[in-house]
Amino acid sequence: MHDSVNLAEKLALFDEHWSPRTVAEFNGHDVMVVKVKGEFNWHSHADTDDFFLVLEGQIDIELRDRTVTLNPGEMFIVPKGAEHRPVARQEAHLLLIEPTGTPNTGDPETAAKRQCV
Amino acid sequence: MHDSVNLAEKLALFDEHWSPRTVAEFNGHDVMVVKVKGEFNWHSHADTDDFFLVLEGQIDIELRDRTVTLNPGEMFIVPKGAEHRPVARQEAHLLLIEPTGTPNTGDPETAAKRQCV
């Protein structure tokens, strides 16, 4: 995994939504790209902040008290413990960073399996 | 710091080269934007990987055994302990992530001061 990573090339390798692909490892974290569309589930991560950067499209990150809208080149850190729900009205492409092993849904039972590309 | 961050807007706030600005905090790390031009110094970080994502322009990350060239939308993780020297022939804009307090030069004596924007 010690090569340069072209994020658009990695995103072109798959079509599934809400199925992050790990493209690099960094200080115990997975750096991931993901395609999203529609509404995800409300969830939180007790032990980790959640890094979102929009590469293409637009997402709303709904929090319990407000909604943060992100366009390309915009990022947001969901603080650990904060309930949130990502919503994409059209397909959007994101860069995510989370500690390796973090369940994307907040629940290991329903989480996407770790996949590298 | 719990707002959305537009990276281009943050980069428009300063002109200095090799002077990273912290735009968010994430799991004990600073998320930073930086403008670079010319040759930085050879250095390494014994305890942390080094995250580079090019937002605009091009950089070479010289390693002792090879050079990794990055264009916009391309990223590279310099593994901890690896000596490296970033070189930008023209001005480039980068997203960097490092544990808060990591000296950008590898040496606290010569490191840029932490600045938030």
Side-chain angles (χ1 to χ4, degrees), chain A residues 1-9 23-29 31 47-51 53 55 66 68-70 72-77 79-80 95 97-99, chain B residues 1-9 23-29 31 47-51 53 55 66 68-70 72-77 79-80 95 97-99:
Chain A
M1 300 260 258
H2 293 312
D3 280 319
S4 66
V5 174
N6 181 301
L7 299 176
E9 286 178 5
V23 299
E25 295 171 0
F26 168 69
N27 284 353
H29 292 70
V31 180
D47 300 320
T48 178
D49 301 330
D50 214 353
F51 175 105
L53 171 64
L55 302 171
R66 64 195 169 115
V68 176
T69 299
L70 299 178
E74 294 183 338
M75 55 167 286
F76 183 68
I77 309 291
K80 65 183 177 183
L95 185 73
I97 307 178
E98 293 185 311
Chain B
M1 300 259 257
H2 294 311
D3 280 319
S4 66
V5 174
N6 182 301
L7 299 176
E9 286 178 7
V23 298
E25 295 171 359
F26 167 69
N27 284 352
H29 292 70
V31 181
D47 300 321
T48 178
D49 302 329
D50 214 353
F51 175 106
L53 171 64
L55 301 170
R66 65 195 167 113
V68 175
T69 299
L70 299 178
E74 294 183 338
M75 54 167 286
F76 183 67
I77 310 291
K80 65 182 177 183
L95 184 73
I97 308 177
E98 293 185 311

Side-chain angles (χ1 to χ4, degrees), chain A residues 1 5 7 10-11 14 16-37 40-41 43 45 48-56 58-61 70 74-78 84-88 92-106 111-115 117, chain B residues 26-27 31 51 53 75 77 95 97:
Chain A
M1 300 260 258
V5 174
L7 299 176
K10 294 297 189 185
L11 282 157
F14 64 98
E16 300 93 322
H17 295 145
W18 307 109
S19 179
R21 307 299 161 107
T22 297
V23 299
E25 295 171 0
F26 168 69
N27 284 353
H29 292 70
D30 280 359
V31 180
M32 297 170 281
V33 292
V34 65
K35 293 180 172 177
V36 299
K37 187 177 178 186
F40 204 57
N41 66 310
H43 69 285
H45 306 285
T48 178
D49 301 330
D50 214 353
F51 175 105
F52 289 84
L53 171 64
V54 174
L55 302 171
E56 189 175 310
Q58 183 186 75
I59 63 163
D60 286 340
I61 298 179
L70 299 178
E74 294 183 338
M75 55 167 286
F76 183 68
I77 309 291
V78 179
H84 60 285
R85 181 174 79 148
V87 177
H93 299 174
L94 314 178
L95 185 73
L96 304 177
I97 307 178
E98 293 185 311
T100 302
T102 302
N104 68 323
T105 56
K113 286 211 174 74
R114 183 172 190 257
Q115 297 183 74
V117 289
Chain B
F26 167 69
N27 284 352
V31 181
F51 175 106
L53 171 64
M75 54 167 286
I77 310 291
L95 184 73
I97 308 177

